[in-house]
mmCIF file of all heavy atoms in Angstrom:
data_model
loop_
_atom_site.group_PDB
_atom_site.id
_atom_site.type_symbol
_atom_site.label_atom_id
_atom_site.label_comp_id
_atom_site.label_asym_id
_atom_site.label_seq_id
_atom_site.Cartn_x
_atom_site.Cartn_y
_atom_site.Cartn_z
ATOM 1 N N GLY A 1 -1.497 2.350 -8.447
ATOM 2 C CA GLY A 1 -1.400 3.808 -8.529
ATOM 3 C C GLY A 1 -0.630 4.266 -9.752
ATOM 4 O O GLY A 1 -1.057 5.184 -10.475
ATOM 5 N N LYS A 2 0.504 3.611 -10.017
ATOM 6 C CA LYS A 2 1.285 3.963 -11.200
ATOM 7 C C LYS A 2 0.532 3.616 -12.478
ATOM 8 O O LYS A 2 0.618 4.327 -13.476
ATOM 9 C CB LYS A 2 2.639 3.269 -11.163
ATOM 10 C CG LYS A 2 3.548 3.832 -10.094
ATOM 11 C CD LYS A 2 4.901 3.179 -10.105
ATOM 12 C CE LYS A 2 5.752 3.767 -8.974
ATOM 13 N NZ LYS A 2 7.081 3.156 -8.928
ATOM 14 N N ALA A 3 -0.226 2.524 -12.441
ATOM 15 C CA ALA A 3 -1.018 2.134 -13.610
ATOM 16 C C ALA A 3 -2.035 3.209 -13.963
ATOM 17 O O ALA A 3 -2.201 3.549 -15.135
ATOM 18 C CB ALA A 3 -1.721 0.802 -13.343
ATOM 19 N N LEU A 4 -2.706 3.752 -12.962
ATOM 20 C CA LEU A 4 -3.700 4.792 -13.222
ATOM 21 C C LEU A 4 -3.062 6.026 -13.840
ATOM 22 O O LEU A 4 -3.647 6.645 -14.741
ATOM 23 C CB LEU A 4 -4.442 5.149 -11.938
ATOM 24 C CG LEU A 4 -5.371 4.052 -11.402
ATOM 25 C CD1 LEU A 4 -5.918 4.440 -10.031
ATOM 26 C CD2 LEU A 4 -6.501 3.777 -12.379
ATOM 27 N N LYS A 5 -1.860 6.381 -13.405
ATOM 28 C CA LYS A 5 -1.156 7.532 -13.994
ATOM 29 C C LYS A 5 -0.821 7.272 -15.463
ATOM 30 O O LYS A 5 -1.002 8.141 -16.314
ATOM 31 C CB LYS A 5 0.111 7.835 -13.209
ATOM 32 C CG LYS A 5 -0.159 8.430 -11.852
ATOM 33 C CD LYS A 5 1.125 8.719 -11.099
ATOM 34 C CE LYS A 5 0.817 9.227 -9.700
ATOM 35 N NZ LYS A 5 2.007 9.455 -8.908
ATOM 36 N N ILE A 6 -0.335 6.069 -15.748
ATOM 37 C CA ILE A 6 0.009 5.736 -17.133
ATOM 38 C C ILE A 6 -1.245 5.719 -18.002
ATOM 39 O O ILE A 6 -1.234 6.201 -19.140
ATOM 40 C CB ILE A 6 0.757 4.388 -17.204
ATOM 41 C CG1 ILE A 6 2.140 4.540 -16.578
ATOM 42 C CG2 ILE A 6 0.854 3.891 -18.643
ATOM 43 C CD1 ILE A 6 2.907 3.246 -16.433
ATOM 44 N N ILE A 7 -2.337 5.185 -17.473
ATOM 45 C CA ILE A 7 -3.594 5.154 -18.237
ATOM 46 C C ILE A 7 -4.039 6.566 -18.594
ATOM 47 O O ILE A 7 -4.443 6.837 -19.723
ATOM 48 C CB ILE A 7 -4.689 4.402 -17.451
ATOM 49 C CG1 ILE A 7 -4.367 2.915 -17.407
ATOM 50 C CG2 ILE A 7 -6.066 4.645 -18.067
ATOM 51 C CD1 ILE A 7 -5.212 2.117 -16.439
ATOM 52 N N GLU A 8 -3.948 7.486 -17.639
ATOM 53 C CA GLU A 8 -4.345 8.877 -17.894
ATOM 54 C C GLU A 8 -3.460 9.533 -18.936
ATOM 55 O O GLU A 8 -3.932 10.312 -19.762
ATOM 56 C CB GLU A 8 -4.297 9.671 -16.596
ATOM 57 C CG GLU A 8 -5.382 9.290 -15.602
ATOM 58 C CD GLU A 8 -5.234 10.009 -14.268
ATOM 59 O OE1 GLU A 8 -4.370 10.911 -14.153
ATOM 60 O OE2 GLU A 8 -5.968 9.664 -13.331
ATOM 61 N N GLU A 9 -2.159 9.219 -18.926
ATOM 62 C CA GLU A 9 -1.212 9.854 -19.841
ATOM 63 C C GLU A 9 -1.169 9.202 -21.222
ATOM 64 O O GLU A 9 -1.084 9.887 -22.231
ATOM 65 C CB GLU A 9 0.199 9.819 -19.235
ATOM 66 C CG GLU A 9 0.344 10.658 -17.988
ATOM 67 C CD GLU A 9 1.702 10.465 -17.324
ATOM 68 O OE1 GLU A 9 2.582 9.767 -17.896
ATOM 69 O OE2 GLU A 9 1.884 11.001 -16.215
ATOM 70 N N LYS A 10 -1.198 7.869 -21.265
ATOM 71 C CA LYS A 10 -0.933 7.141 -22.516
ATOM 72 C C LYS A 10 -2.169 6.552 -23.185
ATOM 73 O O LYS A 10 -2.109 6.189 -24.361
ATOM 74 C CB LYS A 10 0.068 6.007 -22.254
ATOM 75 C CG LYS A 10 1.368 6.452 -21.614
ATOM 76 C CD LYS A 10 2.161 7.335 -22.539
ATOM 77 C CE LYS A 10 3.504 7.689 -21.907
ATOM 78 N NZ LYS A 10 4.309 8.553 -22.759
ATOM 79 N N HIS A 11 -3.264 6.374 -22.465
ATOM 80 C CA HIS A 11 -4.511 5.831 -23.015
ATOM 81 C C HIS A 11 -4.304 4.503 -23.752
ATOM 82 O O HIS A 11 -4.566 4.399 -24.962
ATOM 83 C CB HIS A 11 -5.178 6.841 -23.949
ATOM 84 C CG HIS A 11 -5.358 8.185 -23.341
ATOM 85 N ND1 HIS A 11 -6.321 8.451 -22.390
ATOM 86 C CD2 HIS A 11 -4.673 9.347 -23.519
ATOM 87 C CE1 HIS A 11 -6.224 9.715 -22.028
ATOM 88 N NE2 HIS A 11 -5.240 10.287 -22.685
ATOM 89 N N PRO A 12 -3.843 3.467 -23.047
ATOM 90 C CA PRO A 12 -3.620 2.174 -23.713
ATOM 91 C C PRO A 12 -4.938 1.556 -24.178
ATOM 92 O O PRO A 12 -6.017 1.916 -23.699
ATOM 93 C CB PRO A 12 -2.974 1.321 -22.619
ATOM 94 C CG PRO A 12 -3.484 1.911 -21.344
ATOM 95 C CD PRO A 12 -3.582 3.391 -21.611
ATOM 96 N N ASP A 13 -4.830 0.617 -25.107
ATOM 97 C CA ASP A 13 -6.003 -0.057 -25.654
ATOM 98 C C ASP A 13 -6.428 -1.266 -24.820
ATOM 99 O O ASP A 13 -7.570 -1.712 -24.917
ATOM 100 C CB ASP A 13 -5.711 -0.511 -27.092
ATOM 101 C CG ASP A 13 -5.405 0.671 -27.987
ATOM 102 O OD1 ASP A 13 -6.326 1.465 -28.229
ATOM 103 O OD2 ASP A 13 -4.244 0.809 -28.422
ATOM 104 N N LEU A 14 -5.509 -1.799 -24.032
ATOM 105 C CA LEU A 14 -5.761 -2.988 -23.231
ATOM 106 C C LEU A 14 -4.866 -2.938 -22.003
ATOM 107 O O LEU A 14 -3.751 -2.404 -22.069
ATOM 108 C CB LEU A 14 -5.445 -4.249 -24.045
ATOM 109 C CG LEU A 14 -5.537 -5.599 -23.343
ATOM 110 C CD1 LEU A 14 -6.996 -5.935 -23.009
ATOM 111 C CD2 LEU A 14 -4.920 -6.694 -24.204
ATOM 112 N N VAL A 15 -5.346 -3.499 -20.887
ATOM 113 C CA VAL A 15 -4.552 -3.560 -19.664
ATOM 114 C C VAL A 15 -4.467 -5.011 -19.207
ATOM 115 O O VAL A 15 -5.486 -5.675 -19.044
ATOM 116 C CB VAL A 15 -5.162 -2.692 -18.539
ATOM 117 C CG1 VAL A 15 -4.289 -2.741 -17.301
ATOM 118 C CG2 VAL A 15 -5.346 -1.248 -19.005
ATOM 119 N N LEU A 16 -3.239 -5.496 -19.023
ATOM 120 C CA LEU A 16 -3.000 -6.804 -18.430
ATOM 121 C C LEU A 16 -2.654 -6.569 -16.964
ATOM 122 O O LEU A 16 -1.706 -5.850 -16.665
ATOM 123 C CB LEU A 16 -1.837 -7.520 -19.119
ATOM 124 C CG LEU A 16 -1.991 -7.794 -20.616
ATOM 125 C CD1 LEU A 16 -0.739 -8.474 -21.159
ATOM 126 C CD2 LEU A 16 -3.211 -8.647 -20.889
ATOM 127 N N VAL A 17 -3.407 -7.169 -16.053
ATOM 128 C CA VAL A 17 -3.264 -6.859 -14.627
ATOM 129 C C VAL A 17 -3.013 -8.120 -13.818
ATOM 130 O O VAL A 17 -3.793 -9.074 -13.879
ATOM 131 C CB VAL A 17 -4.540 -6.169 -14.082
ATOM 132 C CG1 VAL A 17 -4.403 -5.868 -12.606
ATOM 133 C CG2 VAL A 17 -4.847 -4.910 -14.850
ATOM 134 N N ASP A 18 -1.941 -8.096 -13.037
ATOM 135 C CA ASP A 18 -1.709 -9.143 -12.042
ATOM 136 C C ASP A 18 -2.704 -8.922 -10.905
ATOM 137 O O ASP A 18 -2.987 -7.779 -10.535
ATOM 138 C CB ASP A 18 -0.275 -9.053 -11.518
ATOM 139 C CG ASP A 18 0.096 -10.184 -10.587
ATOM 140 O OD1 ASP A 18 -0.670 -11.162 -10.478
ATOM 141 O OD2 ASP A 18 1.161 -10.092 -9.953
ATOM 142 N N ILE A 19 -3.227 -9.984 -10.354
ATOM 143 C CA ILE A 19 -4.219 -9.855 -9.286
ATOM 144 C C ILE A 19 -3.586 -9.337 -7.993
ATOM 145 O O ILE A 19 -4.161 -8.500 -7.309
ATOM 146 C CB ILE A 19 -4.937 -11.204 -9.048
ATOM 147 C CG1 ILE A 19 -5.793 -11.535 -10.264
ATOM 148 C CG2 ILE A 19 -5.796 -11.162 -7.795
ATOM 149 C CD1 ILE A 19 -6.404 -12.918 -10.234
ATOM 150 N N VAL A 20 -2.390 -9.822 -7.682
ATOM 151 C CA VAL A 20 -1.714 -9.423 -6.442
ATOM 152 C C VAL A 20 -0.709 -8.324 -6.768
ATOM 153 O O VAL A 20 0.262 -8.548 -7.488
ATOM 154 C CB VAL A 20 -0.997 -10.626 -5.791
ATOM 155 C CG1 VAL A 20 -0.294 -10.191 -4.519
ATOM 156 C CG2 VAL A 20 -1.980 -11.746 -5.509
ATOM 157 N N LEU A 21 -0.971 -7.122 -6.242
ATOM 158 C CA LEU A 21 -0.089 -5.973 -6.459
ATOM 159 C C LEU A 21 0.244 -5.331 -5.125
ATOM 160 O O LEU A 21 -0.567 -5.359 -4.201
ATOM 161 C CB LEU A 21 -0.779 -4.927 -7.345
ATOM 162 C CG LEU A 21 -1.100 -5.321 -8.775
ATOM 163 C CD1 LEU A 21 -1.955 -4.247 -9.433
ATOM 164 C CD2 LEU A 21 0.174 -5.540 -9.567
ATOM 165 N N PRO A 22 1.414 -4.714 -5.016
ATOM 166 C CA PRO A 22 1.743 -4.008 -3.781
ATOM 167 C C PRO A 22 0.969 -2.690 -3.680
ATOM 168 O O PRO A 22 0.501 -2.154 -4.686
ATOM 169 C CB PRO A 22 3.243 -3.740 -3.923
ATOM 170 C CG PRO A 22 3.468 -3.659 -5.401
ATOM 171 C CD PRO A 22 2.487 -4.632 -5.999
ATOM 172 N N GLY A 23 0.821 -2.201 -2.479
ATOM 173 C CA GLY A 23 0.171 -0.907 -2.281
ATOM 174 C C GLY A 23 -1.299 -1.041 -1.941
ATOM 175 O O GLY A 23 -1.804 -2.120 -1.637
ATOM 176 N N LYS A 24 -1.988 0.073 -2.014
ATOM 177 C CA LYS A 24 -3.385 0.146 -1.593
ATOM 178 C C LYS A 24 -4.364 -0.455 -2.598
ATOM 179 O O LYS A 24 -5.470 -0.831 -2.240
ATOM 180 C CB LYS A 24 -3.776 1.605 -1.335
ATOM 181 C CG LYS A 24 -3.020 2.236 -0.199
ATOM 182 C CD LYS A 24 -3.428 3.679 -0.003
ATOM 183 C CE LYS A 24 -2.648 4.312 1.135
ATOM 184 N NZ LYS A 24 -3.029 5.698 1.360
ATOM 185 N N ILE A 25 -3.979 -0.517 -3.876
ATOM 186 C CA ILE A 25 -4.895 -0.975 -4.926
ATOM 187 C C ILE A 25 -4.403 -2.313 -5.473
ATOM 188 O O ILE A 25 -3.359 -2.368 -6.121
ATOM 189 C CB ILE A 25 -4.974 0.064 -6.071
ATOM 190 C CG1 ILE A 25 -5.391 1.433 -5.546
ATOM 191 C CG2 ILE A 25 -5.927 -0.411 -7.155
ATOM 192 C CD1 ILE A 25 -5.308 2.534 -6.587
ATOM 193 N N ASN A 26 -5.157 -3.395 -5.218
ATOM 194 C CA ASN A 26 -4.762 -4.672 -5.804
ATOM 195 C C ASN A 26 -5.319 -4.762 -7.231
ATOM 196 O O ASN A 26 -6.010 -3.859 -7.704
ATOM 197 C CB ASN A 26 -5.204 -5.857 -4.929
ATOM 198 C CG ASN A 26 -6.706 -6.049 -4.881
ATOM 199 O OD1 ASN A 26 -7.432 -5.740 -5.814
ATOM 200 N ND2 ASN A 26 -7.191 -6.574 -3.766
ATOM 201 N N GLY A 27 -5.029 -5.851 -7.917
ATOM 202 C CA GLY A 27 -5.425 -5.978 -9.317
ATOM 203 C C GLY A 27 -6.921 -5.969 -9.548
ATOM 204 O O GLY A 27 -7.406 -5.394 -10.514
ATOM 205 N N ILE A 28 -7.667 -6.602 -8.645
ATOM 206 C CA ILE A 28 -9.121 -6.643 -8.800
ATOM 207 C C ILE A 28 -9.718 -5.251 -8.594
ATOM 208 O O ILE A 28 -10.580 -4.817 -9.366
ATOM 209 C CB ILE A 28 -9.737 -7.678 -7.842
ATOM 210 C CG1 ILE A 28 -9.263 -9.079 -8.251
ATOM 211 C CG2 ILE A 28 -11.259 -7.594 -7.841
ATOM 212 C CD1 ILE A 28 -9.589 -10.174 -7.276
ATOM 213 N N GLU A 29 -9.242 -4.549 -7.576
ATOM 214 C CA GLU A 29 -9.718 -3.172 -7.349
ATOM 215 C C GLU A 29 -9.357 -2.279 -8.530
ATOM 216 O O GLU A 29 -10.161 -1.441 -8.953
ATOM 217 C CB GLU A 29 -9.125 -2.622 -6.060
ATOM 218 C CG GLU A 29 -9.646 -3.317 -4.812
ATOM 219 C CD GLU A 29 -8.825 -2.996 -3.571
ATOM 220 O OE1 GLU A 29 -7.680 -2.511 -3.685
ATOM 221 O OE2 GLU A 29 -9.335 -3.255 -2.473
ATOM 222 N N LEU A 30 -8.153 -2.450 -9.058
ATOM 223 C CA LEU A 30 -7.725 -1.658 -10.215
ATOM 224 C C LEU A 30 -8.651 -1.909 -11.407
ATOM 225 O O LEU A 30 -9.063 -0.972 -12.090
ATOM 226 C CB LEU A 30 -6.280 -1.982 -10.584
ATOM 227 C CG LEU A 30 -5.727 -1.267 -11.813
ATOM 228 C CD1 LEU A 30 -5.739 0.246 -11.626
ATOM 229 C CD2 LEU A 30 -4.323 -1.775 -12.116
ATOM 230 N N ALA A 31 -9.004 -3.155 -11.639
ATOM 231 C CA ALA A 31 -9.903 -3.475 -12.750
ATOM 232 C C ALA A 31 -11.260 -2.796 -12.580
ATOM 233 O O ALA A 31 -11.832 -2.289 -13.551
ATOM 234 C CB ALA A 31 -10.080 -4.985 -12.864
ATOM 235 N N HIS A 32 -11.774 -2.764 -11.353
ATOM 236 C CA HIS A 32 -13.045 -2.073 -11.100
ATOM 237 C C HIS A 32 -12.922 -0.571 -11.376
ATOM 238 O O HIS A 32 -13.823 0.025 -11.978
ATOM 239 C CB HIS A 32 -13.507 -2.293 -9.658
ATOM 240 C CG HIS A 32 -14.073 -3.646 -9.403
ATOM 241 N ND1 HIS A 32 -15.259 -4.093 -9.944
ATOM 242 C CD2 HIS A 32 -13.600 -4.678 -8.657
ATOM 243 C CE1 HIS A 32 -15.493 -5.321 -9.554
ATOM 244 N NE2 HIS A 32 -14.491 -5.710 -8.763
ATOM 245 N N ILE A 33 -11.823 0.026 -10.949
ATOM 246 C CA ILE A 33 -11.605 1.460 -11.182
ATOM 247 C C ILE A 33 -11.538 1.737 -12.691
ATOM 248 O O ILE A 33 -12.154 2.681 -13.184
ATOM 249 C CB ILE A 33 -10.320 1.947 -10.477
ATOM 250 C CG1 ILE A 33 -10.499 1.892 -8.960
ATOM 251 C CG2 ILE A 33 -9.946 3.354 -10.938
ATOM 252 C CD1 ILE A 33 -9.203 2.078 -8.174
ATOM 253 N N ILE A 34 -10.787 0.908 -13.407
ATOM 254 C CA ILE A 34 -10.658 1.093 -14.854
ATOM 255 C C ILE A 34 -12.019 0.962 -15.526
ATOM 256 O O ILE A 34 -12.379 1.773 -16.385
ATOM 257 C CB ILE A 34 -9.648 0.091 -15.440
ATOM 258 C CG1 ILE A 34 -8.238 0.420 -14.941
ATOM 259 C CG2 ILE A 34 -9.700 0.090 -16.965
ATOM 260 C CD1 ILE A 34 -7.207 -0.649 -15.248
ATOM 261 N N LYS A 35 -12.786 -0.049 -15.142
ATOM 262 C CA LYS A 35 -14.116 -0.261 -15.739
ATOM 263 C C LYS A 35 -15.040 0.913 -15.461
ATOM 264 O O LYS A 35 -15.748 1.384 -16.354
ATOM 265 C CB LYS A 35 -14.733 -1.540 -15.200
ATOM 266 C CG LYS A 35 -16.085 -1.841 -15.789
ATOM 267 C CD LYS A 35 -16.658 -3.121 -15.192
ATOM 268 C CE LYS A 35 -18.011 -3.423 -15.768
ATOM 269 N NZ LYS A 35 -19.102 -2.807 -15.046
ATOM 270 N N ASP A 36 -15.037 1.409 -14.228
ATOM 271 C CA ASP A 36 -15.937 2.491 -13.844
ATOM 272 C C ASP A 36 -15.543 3.840 -14.435
ATOM 273 O O ASP A 36 -16.399 4.619 -14.835
ATOM 274 C CB ASP A 36 -16.003 2.613 -12.324
ATOM 275 C CG ASP A 36 -16.675 1.420 -11.670
ATOM 276 O OD1 ASP A 36 -17.397 0.682 -12.366
ATOM 277 O OD2 ASP A 36 -16.473 1.219 -10.453
ATOM 278 N N ARG A 37 -14.250 4.131 -14.493
ATOM 279 C CA ARG A 37 -13.794 5.460 -14.906
ATOM 280 C C ARG A 37 -13.434 5.567 -16.381
ATOM 281 O O ARG A 37 -13.652 6.600 -16.994
ATOM 282 C CB ARG A 37 -12.555 5.862 -14.100
ATOM 283 C CG ARG A 37 -12.800 6.106 -12.650
ATOM 284 C CD ARG A 37 -11.533 6.617 -12.029
ATOM 285 N NE ARG A 37 -11.597 6.592 -10.572
ATOM 286 C CZ ARG A 37 -10.571 6.844 -9.795
ATOM 287 N NH1 ARG A 37 -9.394 7.142 -10.311
ATOM 288 N NH2 ARG A 37 -10.697 6.800 -8.484
ATOM 289 N N ILE A 38 -12.825 4.523 -16.918
ATOM 290 C CA ILE A 38 -12.195 4.665 -18.225
ATOM 291 C C ILE A 38 -12.761 3.704 -19.259
ATOM 292 O O ILE A 38 -12.769 3.985 -20.434
ATOM 293 C CB ILE A 38 -10.666 4.468 -18.091
ATOM 294 C CG1 ILE A 38 -10.134 5.389 -16.985
ATOM 295 C CG2 ILE A 38 -9.956 4.751 -19.400
ATOM 296 C CD1 ILE A 38 -8.965 4.855 -16.256
ATOM 297 N N ASN A 39 -13.198 2.537 -18.836
ATOM 298 C CA ASN A 39 -13.773 1.520 -19.707
ATOM 299 C C ASN A 39 -12.798 1.016 -20.766
ATOM 300 O O ASN A 39 -13.091 0.999 -21.957
ATOM 301 C CB ASN A 39 -15.067 2.015 -20.355
ATOM 302 C CG ASN A 39 -15.914 0.861 -20.863
ATOM 303 O OD1 ASN A 39 -15.804 -0.250 -20.357
ATOM 304 N ND2 ASN A 39 -16.735 1.130 -21.853
ATOM 305 N N ILE A 40 -11.618 0.602 -20.312
ATOM 306 C CA ILE A 40 -10.629 -0.065 -21.156
ATOM 307 C C ILE A 40 -10.699 -1.551 -20.817
ATOM 308 O O ILE A 40 -10.815 -1.903 -19.645
ATOM 309 C CB ILE A 40 -9.199 0.466 -20.862
ATOM 310 C CG1 ILE A 40 -9.087 1.947 -21.182
ATOM 311 C CG2 ILE A 40 -8.163 -0.325 -21.658
ATOM 312 C CD1 ILE A 40 -7.782 2.558 -20.729
#
């Protein structure tokens, strides 16, 4: 969740993601969201 907020605000060029994350969105789900919405 925090990653998505930072992506919206800062627009990074690359994202390094741990597979196991706390909360509702794990690393694999986050990667799918990034690919579908932002394509980073």
Side-chain angles (χ1 to χ4, degrees):
K2 290 182 182 179
L4 291 173
K5 289 180 184 177
I6 291 173
I7 290 168
E8 290 175 7
E9 294 173 6
K10 305 294 184 180
H11 308 285
D13 299 293
L14 175 69
V15 182
L16 300 178
V17 179
D18 186 10
I19 292 172
V20 179
L21 295 172
K24 296 179 181 181
I25 304 172
N26 68 30
I28 294 170
E29 292 167 343
L30 177 61
H32 284 292
I33 292 168
I34 292 169
K35 181 181 180 271
D36 292 341
R37 292 185 193 172
I38 308 149
N39 199 25
I40 297 172

